[in-house]
Amino acid sequence: MLVTEERLHMRHMRHFSEGGFTIVELTVVMVIIAMVVGVFSQMLISVNQSASISRARVDINRNLHNAMDAIETDVRQTLRFKVSAHDGYDTFASRSRFEYREGKKNNLILLQYATSISSGSDSREIVYLKTPGFDCMTNKIHQPKYKKIVVYSIWESSGELVRRVYYNDLVDAHGNPYTGTPANYFCANAADAGMFAWYARGSVYSVLATDVSEFKVDYYEGDTRLTGQDNPHSSPKNLLDAADSVKVTLKIKSKDGRISDSQTLMIRKTNNL
């Protein structure tokens, strides 16, 4: 009886050994699982990094194109490139005098005619100022045209490319302020007249791109780069009168600085004052 029980016990132990796992086998399996998890973790990290880089490139590319499209549109509508937004020469936007004091080379300052802003209109028309002796209905083209200044510059503290618009102070031919209701200022409908009167007391700005690392502006007459443009603070106010085109370089970096892209455009203006 004792021999039979011992045999049964030995047979049970042998069966357990044959059907279970040893410690070595379990260790090997755990090591393999850890390796597989590690490989997949690295793959996921790599995929996420690639996706992040791709999104950053897309964002940078979109910001570049949007900003350069806006600059190109404004330059083509430009009457004159300017070294100062306020110089008493052909513009009188007193709120933008700080542009001249800064004397920064890479501000892009453009003189344009103001155009109508009514919603739903099929086309924009030049806005004329009212002056005594002329009828807006029959002699509007003999009235002085209302002007605005468009300024592109970098806010260095934030790296933002900002577009600001300043409208001429509302003064008559003698430099005296216009008085009365906005309808007395412009040959325009009441809505536009009121809006331009409000614009004349302030400025309009928008952010076109962020994380800008370079904004470079060079002025040309034909194929020749104008001399004297590297120190706008001491330049004569008519330095850029001969310029008919501008080369703009814009460079944007990702926030971590690992990715960057740039675009350079040579843009010719189509208007003349």
Side-chain angles (χ1 to χ4, degrees):
M1 183 68 179
L2 180 59
V3 174
T4 302
E5 290 180 355
E6 289 180 353
R7 287 179 178 177
L8 288 175
H9 180 70
M10 294 292 293
R11 187 181 300 171
H12 176 73
M13 293 298 294
R14 188 165 54 250
H15 176 75
F16 177 79
S17 177
E18 290 174 353
F21 297 98
T22 65
I23 294 177
V24 173
E25 290 173 333
L26 290 175
T27 302
V28 170
V29 171
M30 292 176 65
V31 169
I32 293 173
I33 292 174
M35 292 175 62
V36 171
V37 171
V39 170
F40 275 105
S41 297
Q42 290 298 321
M43 290 176 61
L44 288 174
I45 293 173
S46 178
V47 169
N48 287 334
Q49 288 179 343
S50 297
S52 178
I53 291 173
S54 296
R55 287 194 298 269
R57 290 190 187 280
V58 169
D59 290 342
I60 289 174
N61 188 265
R62 181 177 62 249
N63 287 338
L64 272 175
H65 284 287
N66 289 344
M68 293 301 259
D69 283 348
I71 293 172
E72 182 175 14
T73 298
D74 275 332
V75 169
R76 293 195 184 283
Q77 297 175 356
T78 292
L79 306 169
R80 177 179 293 136
F81 301 110
K82 298 173 64 64
V83 298
S84 168
H86 175 85
D87 51 21
Y89 180 25
D90 48 27
T91 50
F92 303 91
S94 58
R95 292 155 309 287
S96 60
R97 290 179 182 176
F98 68 89
E99 294 292 341
Y100 180 77
R101 291 202 304 269
E102 287 178 355
K104 294 180 179 178
K105 173 184 181 298
N106 290 326
N107 283 347
L108 177 61
I109 305 176
L110 312 171
L111 173 68
Q112 298 177 351
Y113 288 137
T115 56
S116 60
I117 54 180
S118 295
S119 59
S121 59
D122 294 332
S123 60
R124 290 178 176 244
E125 298 180 351
I126 293 175
V127 175
Y128 293 86
L129 289 168
K130 281 185 177 181
T131 56
F134 290 98
D135 183 348
C136 283
M137 297 298 296
T138 58
N139 299 299
K140 183 168 65 174
I141 61 173
H142 298 293
Q143 306 283 65
K145 299 179 181 69
Y146 190 44
K147 298 171 184 175
K148 66 180 180 181
I149 306 99
V150 179
V151 181
Y152 286 88
S153 60
I154 300 296
W155 285 0
E156 294 182 351
S157 60
S158 61
E160 294 175 332
L161 175 63
V162 178
R163 178 184 185 269
R164 284 169 287 181
V165 182
Y166 303 93
Y167 288 83
N168 265 9
D169 296 340
L170 290 176
V171 295
D172 60 23
H174 305 289
N176 300 315
Y178 278 87
T179 58
T181 63
N184 293 331
Y185 302 154
F186 306 99
C187 292
N189 61 55
D192 281 354
M195 186 61 69
F196 282 119
W198 181 79
Y199 282 161
R201 295 190 292 271
S203 62
V204 181
Y205 79 92
S206 57
V207 177
L208 298 182
T210 58
D211 302 311
V212 176
S213 58
E214 182 181 8
F215 181 60
K216 184 179 180 182
V217 183
D218 293 290
Y219 300 91
Y220 287 77
E221 181 181 8
D223 297 328
T224 305
R225 183 179 183 275
L226 294 183
T227 59
Q229 62 179 280
D230 295 319
N231 189 11
H233 187 67
S234 60
S235 300
K237 60 188 178 182
N238 61 347
L239 169 71
L240 302 179
D241 282 1
D244 56 22
S245 57
V246 62
K247 183 168 73 173
V248 178
T249 298
L250 179 63
K251 184 176 182 180
I252 301 177
K253 285 186 177 181
S254 60
K255 292 187 181 299
D256 58 14
R258 294 186 302 168
I259 305 166
S260 65
D261 198 0
S262 64
Q263 186 175 354
T264 299
L265 280 181
M266 178 71 80
I267 312 167
R268 183 177 296 273
K269 69 183 183 71
T270 57
N271 284 317
N272 290 291
L273 187 63

